Amino acid sequence: MKTDQEGAVRSDALLSSWKQTPTRQAIVDYVDRALQEGGAEYVPPSERVAVFDNDGTLWCEKPMPPELGFILQRLAEMAEQDPSLRTRQPWQAARDKDYAWLGDVITKHYHGDDSDVRVLMGGILQAFAGMSVDAYAEIADRFLRTTPHPTLGRQLWRCTYLPMVELLRYLEANGFTTYIASGGDRDFMRPVTEELYGIPAERIIGTTAGLRYQDDDTGGSVVYQAEMEVFDDGPTKPVRIWSRVGRRPVVAGGNSNGDIQMLRYAGQPSRPGLRLLVLHDDEEREFNYTAGAETSLEQARAQDWTVVSIKNDWATVFADEV
Amino acid sequence: MKTDQEGAVRSDALLSSWKQTPTRQAIVDYVDRALQEGGAEYVPPSERVAVFDNDGTLWCEKPMPPELGFILQRLAEMAEQDPSLRTRQPWQAARDKDYAWLGDVITKHYHGDDSDVRVLMGGILQAFAGMSVDAYAEIADRFLRTTPHPTLGRQLWRCTYLPMVELLRYLEANGFTTYIASGGDRDFMRPVTEELYGIPAERIIGTTAGLRYQDDDTGGSVVYQAEMEVFDDGPTKPVRIWSRVGRRPVVAGGNSNGDIQMLRYAGQPSRPGLRLLVLHDDEEREFNYTAGAETSLEQARAQDWTVVSIKNDWATVFADEV
């Protein structure tokens, strides 16, 4: 059996924001085994596919996901221009900064009640209908680069988890191809993922509004429709991953109940997988919550997934720049 | 202005099945300009996206696309097992080898009448509903590797156009990323595209049946549903390309009316594109037909697209192996 010692060497250099804990060791051991040609857990390069959720897994999702802030800004602008929207949800909440209503949308979703998600989505879809994908990319990019996080004292742009970015580099250095598979809007993430995570637009999978081709004299453009195409969460995640990649992943990382099926789908009996669940337990440096992650934490215990404790496993949470 | 001489050198080595015609020159000139840093038509590496139709553009689609043969085999097997299907379309045509009915489906589609496409699709969707994507990949792969072309005296496997495969390599050698964007079934192509074209599964875009995640004790699987997700033709092509890639292509190649929007979408005023339309005019070595391509040929003339004549531009059509 040939051992690829390089894998282990690289890990020390690339995972420097991880503490020397059993969690880090589980990751390094998995990758070492995946690289052992002839070993029982060898994974050929073409099958080294790693998928990661984004909100709460790669960047901070509290007090609300950055995308929600972006949408609320847009909805508030719409309500400024059209008074009739000011007494309708979700415009009313956006204009009044009614974070209780908005927080409930997420919490209810995690508990299986999507009635308010649909109300919110209805507003979102109207907010961007008719806009070209290029124009949307520009305003999403600008929002992410110029908006501060409400409480962390840094730009949203700087709220990515440094240890997770290191993990992406570590996996890639060992021949894995990384993808984002997020319940968040695909096109909101795309303008910044290459710079933030080193993951280019074509490897971003996520929730998607309906699109149509609108022809014109100069080649036409692709524009949003006022309808959903895919809400990429829960059991939809494995489907969208397979649709995009054409392979079953072996590594998956998530942090909530919406990631359970994606984590279950990673690996299979003949090809062991690595399933990572980020646990938000660090009130001091980030946030402390398990709401929306209860079932995934139960599954992690039952299925022997690797739980990543922000408090115990990460020496650094965010990069120094703010 | 810095000229990348390497581009021109590579072209001579890689496009050896192309005759020295204005068509070949147009391709080489476009790529040379795209590589000229500081030039008006310079294309940065990240934007060098090239998309190609498959049936009739990369492999032979006459007398019928390989996928149709695959489906008919499956439908005929179903009719053998269930006599009630023998008087229903499309099973009847499949069992009776009624190629006239089947040919009309395609011809009618190209002329805007999709009534029989829907009948055929209904049968196709029932033919594979409940099957896992892995099982489907296995039977598609076996079909393509073991079935002879009806008239060309070679395996279906060997009916790819050598000059187009060379073009893919040439583009890649010059920093372009190649994708297939086909009206054919995505998952039918995926098992073989890496070997045939050097294009891996994640860069195959195409028509898609609905999928769902089916959980089980060993991580679950993704299985087909008896419904369509996307029929990837005409104005849907730019939408699916953008959805997958997150960028607007600069190079596009097609051969029929279903490729018009994709070709129009390639490039834009600020970023000149190369649009290739394969013309089937070689009765002796391949086939001679324009049915289904009439409008695209008109557009090619009006928009100054590059028409690739099989008869005049290709020294060799197929590789020697049969």
Side-chain angles (χ1 to χ4, degrees), chain A residues 180-197:
Chain A
I180 290 178
S182 169
D185 182 62
R186 178 192 67 197
D187 294 349
F188 178 72
M189 296 177 275
R190 274 177 158 173
V192 297
T193 51
E194 181 135 29
E195 197 170 333
L196 289 183
Y197 305 125

Side-chain angles (χ1 to χ4, degrees), chain A residues 133 179 186-187 190 202 211 213 215-216 218-220 229 235 239-240 242-246 248 261 264-265, chain B residues 133 186-187 190 202 211 213 215-216 219-220 229 235 239-240 242-246 248 261 264-265 269:
Chain A
V133 293
Y179 289 83
R186 178 192 67 197
D187 294 349
R190 274 177 158 173
E202 65 267 24
L211 294 164
Y213 175 65
D215 204 356
D216 61 27
T218 58
E229 184 190 317
V239 166
R240 302 318 305 173
W242 201 89
S243 295
R244 181 71 70 88
V245 184
R248 188 184 190 111
Q261 288 87 354
R264 290 184 59 78
Y265 188 57
Chain B
V133 293
R186 178 192 66 198
D187 294 349
R190 274 178 159 173
E202 64 268 23
L211 294 164
Y213 175 65
D215 203 357
D216 61 26
E229 184 190 316
V239 166
R240 301 319 303 172
W242 200 90
S243 295
R244 181 73 68 89
V245 184
R248 189 183 189 111
Q261 288 86 355
R264 290 183 60 76
Y265 187 57

